[in-house]
C-alpha cells in the first residue's frame, strides 16, 4: 500500500471517529441550568473541550486504522470470509 493511500484512509478513519466522538459528553444550557447569552443557540454546548475531543478522536481513529492495516497485511477478513450469501456456491450451480 502506498503512503498516499495510507494517509487518505487514515483521514477517513479520523473524520468518521470525529463524528462518533463529537456528541459524547456535551451538555446544553438547559441540561446544566447555566444562563444563556442573548442570541445564543439553544443547542450550544456549555462544556465544549476541543483538545479532549481531538485526543479521543485520534485514539479511536488510530486504533481503528491499526486494525484495518493489520487486516490488510495478514488477511484475517476477506471477501470469502464475509460472503454471507454464498454467491460463489450459487455460481457453481448455474
Amino acid at each position: 500500500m502506498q503512503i498516499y493511500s495510507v494517509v487518505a484512509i487514515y483521514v477517513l478513519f479520523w473524520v468518521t471517529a470525529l463524528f462518533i466522538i463529537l456528541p459524547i459528553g456535551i451538555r446544553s444550557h438547559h441540561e446544566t441550568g447555566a444562563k444563556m447569552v442573548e442570541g445564543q443557540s439553544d443547542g450550544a454546548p456549555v462544556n465544549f473541550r476541543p483538545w479532549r475531543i481531538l485526543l479521543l478522536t485520534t485514539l479511536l481513529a488510530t486504533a481503528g486504522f491499526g486494525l484495518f492495516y493489520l487486516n490488510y497485511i495478514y488477511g484475517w477478513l476477506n471477501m470469502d470470509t464475509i460472503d454471507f450469501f454464498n454467491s460463489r456456491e450459487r455460481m457453481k450451480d448455474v
Side-chain angles (χ1 to χ4, degrees):
M1 187 181 302
Q2 294 182 1
I3 189 68
Y4 299 115
S5 299
V6 170
V7 171
I9 293 170
Y10 181 78
V11 168
L12 290 173
F13 270 91
W14 197 90
V15 170
T16 303
L18 176 65
F19 283 111
I20 292 170
I21 295 294
L22 201 55
I24 296 175
I26 297 294
R27 302 282 180 235
S28 70
H29 289 80
H30 296 293
E31 293 172 335
T32 60
K35 185 176 179 181
M36 293 180 59
V37 178
E38 186 175 334
Q40 185 175 4
S41 173
D42 291 336
V46 174
N47 61 340
F48 183 67
R49 294 179 286 181
W51 294 115
R52 181 176 182 266
I53 290 173
L54 291 175
L55 174 67
L56 292 175
T57 299
T58 303
L59 290 174
L60 181 61
T62 303
F65 179 77
L67 288 173
F68 170 80
Y69 194 73
L70 287 174
N71 182 56
Y72 177 78
I73 291 173
Y74 295 113
W76 296 323
L77 295 174
N78 56 27
M79 289 305 293
D80 294 330
T81 307
I82 60 173
D83 186 12
F84 298 117
F85 300 109
N86 298 322
S87 61
R88 293 187 193 263
E89 290 296 322
R90 280 188 281 150
M91 295 304 283
K92 288 179 185 177
D93 294 338
V94 173

